[in-house]
C-alpha cells in the first residue's frame, strides 16, 4: 500500500437547516481514506477511544483500508465535533469540540507506514504533522492540510512544515488569513512562496484553485442539487486526489490536474448524504461516469 | 448591425479599498457595448443629460458602436451611481443613486433598431424592458438582465418578462431571492421553470452557471491577480457573450458555451482597471489569447 494518511477520527454531530444527526462517523482521515479507497489502498494512522465499535473498523476494512495504525486508547473517548450549517450550506459554526483522545495523540508509525511513498498529513497541529514527517523514510510526495486555528496559534511550526512538504491544501479564508491578501490568486501565489511546490485552495461550493510555479488554474465544483451535509467534502476531495495520484504512481502536472478533477467528483458525491452514506453506495464506475460528465461540462 | 442593447448610461463614482474615482463612464449598456464591440457591431439605445460630452460618444463610435439611439435630454443630467467595494472586492454597497434622466426614460426604437435579431435588455425595470420588447419585429434571441430591486417591487412584470424572453442573466443572490432556494443548482432550475430557455447565474469572482432544459454547467472566472474595479464585470460578460453569438449568428448549445467562455474572458479583463480603461487597451488578439489560455486551463 503506497498511501498513508494521519489525521483525526471522529464522531460528529451535524445540524443542517432541516435535520440533526448525532455521533455519526467522521474525521479527516476517515473521509480521506474512504474517498481514496476507490483508487488505491490506504493506511490509516489515528487514535480512537473505547467507544469505537468493531463495525466502524469493518466499514473501513471492507473498502480495503489498512486500519492497523488505528490505536484504541483504553479508558479514552473518541474525538467529538458538533457543527451547525447556515442556510447556504457553505458556512458553518462549530458548536462543540471535545478533543478527548486526540489531545495527547502522538502518532508512532509502523515500519510499513513509514515507508509509504504518498503521504497526506490531514488537518492537525503542525507540531504533530512534523513529528509524522520525521518518521517517514524518503516519501515521494507529502501533502498537508491545515486550518485557521494553527495559523493563529502555531504559525512558526506551520512555516517550518511548509518548507518541508510538497503540497498544501487549505480553505480560501485560511489562505487569506495566512497571507493577509484578499485576492485569492495573490493569496495562493503568496502561500506558494512559503515553500510548497503546489497549493490547492478550496472554495467550498465554488470549487478549488491550483497554484504551482508554472500553473494557476481553477476547477469549479461539480454542480449537485442534492447538498445534504457538506462535512468531509474537503477531506474527501483530498482523498480522491491523493488516491488517484497513488494509483497512477505519478504526480506530474497532467496527472495532478486529473487528480484534482477526481477529488472534485468524489467531494460532490459525499455531500449528497450524511457521513459516508453516499460513498457507501457508490463505486468506481459511478465516479468515472461523473468524472466524464465533469470533463464534458468543461469542454467547449 | 445585428445586436441591440437597451440600458443605462452612467457616470459612476467608485470607492475601492485603495482608491476613489469620481464621475467615470459607466452604465450597463456602456460596459455591454464596449465588450460586445470586439465581436460584432452594436446599436446602443439609452438616454443621457447635457453633461454628456462629445468625447464619450467618440469613445464608443471609435469601436464601431452605433450611438444614434442615445438620446440627449435637454436640461437633464446623466444617471449617477456611487458604490463602495468591500475589501474582498466582490461585495459592494451602493452609497448614492441619482436616476436623473433615467427616471423618465421611455425608449423609442428606430426602425433599424427594432429589426435587430439579437437583443440584450440590460438591467432596467421590467416595465421598460417589456416596452422595448413590444417594439421589436421578430427578434431571434432576446436576453435580459435584472436585479434585486425589480424582484422586490416589480415581481409580476418580471414574471411576464420571463415568459417572453429566451435567456435571463442574474446574480446568484438574486436567483436565491427570486426562487427562495439556497442551493444554486436548484435556484437556477427553478428560474428556468419561469419561462426562459436558458438562465445564466453570475457568481462574481466564482464565475457563472448555465441552465437549460438539457444542460447544467459551471464555468469558473478566469483567475486574475489584478482586480482593480469589478464594476461592469457582469455587463461586459453579457456583452462578450452576446457579441460572440451575434458574430456567429447562432445560439446552439455549443456556440452558447463558447460565448459564455468569451464573456468570462472579457469580464476578467474589464476588472483589471477602472471604467473602460483596460478594455481600451485590448484587442481581439489578446482576448483570443486569454480565451485559449482559459480553455487550456479547463482541459485535463
Amino acid at each position: 500500500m503506497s498511501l498513508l494518511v494521519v489525521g483525526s477520527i471522529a464522531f460528529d454531530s451535524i445540524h443542517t437547516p432541516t435535520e440533526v444527526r448525532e455521533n455519526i462517523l467522521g474525521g479527516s482521515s476517515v473521509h480521506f481514506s474512504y474517498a481514496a479507497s476507490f483508487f488505491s489502498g490506504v493506511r490509516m494512522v489515528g487514535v480512537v477511544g473505547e467507544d469505537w465499535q468493531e463495525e466502524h473498523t469493518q466499514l473501513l476494512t471492507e473498502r480495503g483500508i489498512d486500519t492497523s495504525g488505528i490505536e484504541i486508547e483504553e479508558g479514552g473517548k473518541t474525538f467529538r465535533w458538533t457543527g451547525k450549517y447556515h442556510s447556504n450550506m457553505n458556512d458553518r459554526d462549530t458548536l462543540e469540540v471535545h478533543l478527548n483522545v486526540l489531545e495527547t495523540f502522538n502518532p508512532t508509525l509502523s515500519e510499513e507506514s513509514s515507508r509509504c511513498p504518498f503521504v497526506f498529513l490531514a488537518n492537525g497541529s503542525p507540531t504533530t504533522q512534523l513529528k509524522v514527517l520525521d518518521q517517514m523514510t524518503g516519501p515521494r510526495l507529502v501533502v498537508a492540510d491545515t486550518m485557521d486555528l494553527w495559523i493563529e496559534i502555531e504559525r512558526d511550526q506551520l512555516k517550518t512544515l511548509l518548507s518541508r512538504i510538497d503540497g498544501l491544501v487549505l480553505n480560501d479564508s485560511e489562505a487569506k488569513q495566512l497571507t493577509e491578501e484578499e485576492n485569492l490568486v495573490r493569496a495562493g501565489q503568496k502561500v506558494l512562496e512559503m515553500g510548497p511546490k503546489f497549493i490547492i485552495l478550496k472554495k467550498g461550493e465554488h470549487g478549488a484553485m491550483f497554484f504551482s510555479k508554472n500553473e494557476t488554474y481553477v476547477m469549479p465544483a461539480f454542480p449537485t442539487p442534492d447538498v445534504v451535509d457538506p462535512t468531509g467534502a474537503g477531506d474527501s476531495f483530498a482523498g480522491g486526489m491523493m488516491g488517484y495520484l497513488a494509483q497512477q504512481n505519478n504526480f506530474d502536472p497532467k496527472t495532478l490536474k486529473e487528480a484534482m478533477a477526481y477529488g472534485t467528483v468524489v467531494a460532490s458525491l459525499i455531500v449528497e448524504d450524511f457521513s459516508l452514506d453516499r460513498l457507501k453506495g457508490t463505486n468506481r464506475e459511478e465516479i468515472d461516469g461523473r468524472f466524464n460528465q465533469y470533463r464534458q461540462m468543461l469542454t467547449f
Side-chain angles (χ1 to χ4, degrees), chain A:
Chain A
M1 275 183 201
S2 59
L3 177 58
L4 174 75
V5 55
V6 184
S8 65
I9 300 168
F11 290 124
D12 292 335
S13 293
I14 312 282
H15 300 235
T16 73
T18 54
E19 218 171 326
V20 175
R21 292 286 181 98
E22 307 268 4
N23 300 317
I24 55 180
L25 187 58
S28 56
S29 73
V30 170
H31 291 130
F32 178 95
S33 300
Y34 210 87
S37 73
F38 294 97
F39 303 91
S40 76
V42 195
R43 276 180 203 283
M44 265 176 86
V45 169
V47 63
V48 294
E50 282 191 347
D51 47 1
W52 182 258
Q53 306 291 321
E54 178 54 31
E55 59 179 294
H56 299 125
T57 303
Q58 211 180 324
L59 183 72
L60 300 169
T61 52
E62 272 171 5
R63 288 273 344 135
I65 297 165
D66 184 325
T67 59
S68 60
I70 300 181
E71 187 189 324
I72 302 178
E73 199 176 299
E74 272 181 52
K77 284 185 78 178
T78 301
F79 168 55
R80 276 162 208 262
W81 177 78
T82 303
K84 183 176 181 169
Y85 286 91
H86 295 198
S87 60
N88 66 8
M89 292 298 266
N90 207 27
D91 301 316
R92 71 183 183 197
D93 299 318
T94 291
L95 301 183
E96 275 185 61
V97 178
H98 300 283
L99 285 178
N100 298 333
V101 295
L102 210 56
E103 198 158 1
T104 52
F105 180 43
N106 191 1
T108 308
L109 305 190
S110 67
E111 211 202 309
E112 291 82 7
S113 290
S114 71
R115 286 198 308 243
C116 276
F118 290 83
V119 185
F120 187 68
L121 305 170
N123 181 19
S125 85
T127 304
T128 307
Q129 290 173 315
L130 282 166
K131 273 186 193 163
V132 173
L133 211 44
D134 286 338
Q135 296 172 61
M136 297 303 302
T137 316
R140 287 183 59 203
L141 181 75
V142 179
V143 178
D145 195 352
T146 194
M147 73 184 286
D148 48 1
L149 178 68
W150 313 122
I151 296 172
E152 217 172 285
I153 69 172
E154 286 201 15
R155 193 179 271 257
D156 287 346
Q157 295 92 321
L158 180 60
K159 290 216 165 160
T160 305
L161 180 78
L162 291 183
S163 70
R164 292 183 54 189
I165 59 178
D166 301 293
L168 180 71
V169 176
L170 79 175
N171 288 338
D172 47 2
S173 58
E174 292 156 359
K176 289 180 180 181
Q177 184 192 1
L178 183 59
T179 60
E180 292 173 2
E181 183 62 68
E182 283 285 342
N183 177 287
L184 289 179
V185 183
R186 286 182 191 271
Q189 288 167 345
K190 271 201 179 173
V191 184
L192 200 59
E193 288 166 15
M194 296 177 183
K197 292 184 194 73
F198 64 87
I199 307 295
I200 293 165
L201 213 147
K202 296 177 289 178
K203 306 196 296 172
E205 64 169 326
H206 300 301
M209 300 178 88
F210 178 92
F211 299 89
S212 70
K213 201 180 153 196
N214 300 314
E215 281 186 303
T216 295
Y217 56 79
V218 191
M219 305 192 90
F222 183 90
T224 171
D226 306 312
V227 179
V228 173
D229 172 18
T231 312
D235 292 311
S236 60
F237 169 89
M241 179 186 84
M242 291 294 287
Y244 182 73
L245 294 176
Q247 183 191 38
Q248 299 297 309
N249 195 23
N250 187 355
F251 46 90
D252 63 19
K254 184 179 173 299
T255 311
L256 261 170
K257 205 169 191 180
E258 289 163 3
M260 288 270 293
Y262 269 113
T264 299
V265 163
V266 177
S268 78
L269 285 168
I270 200 174
V271 303
E272 293 182 352
D273 207 341
F274 286 95
S275 187
L276 301 171
D277 291 359
R278 180 64 176 88
L279 290 191
K280 281 183 210 168
T282 194
N283 52 38
R284 181 65 189 264
E285 199 185 338
E286 187 189 22
I287 292 170
D288 280 339
R290 198 173 271 202
F291 177 88
N292 290 331
Q293 226 182 315
Y294 182 62
R295 174 182 268 159
Q296 188 55 41
M297 183 183 104
L298 297 175
T299 302
F300 55 85

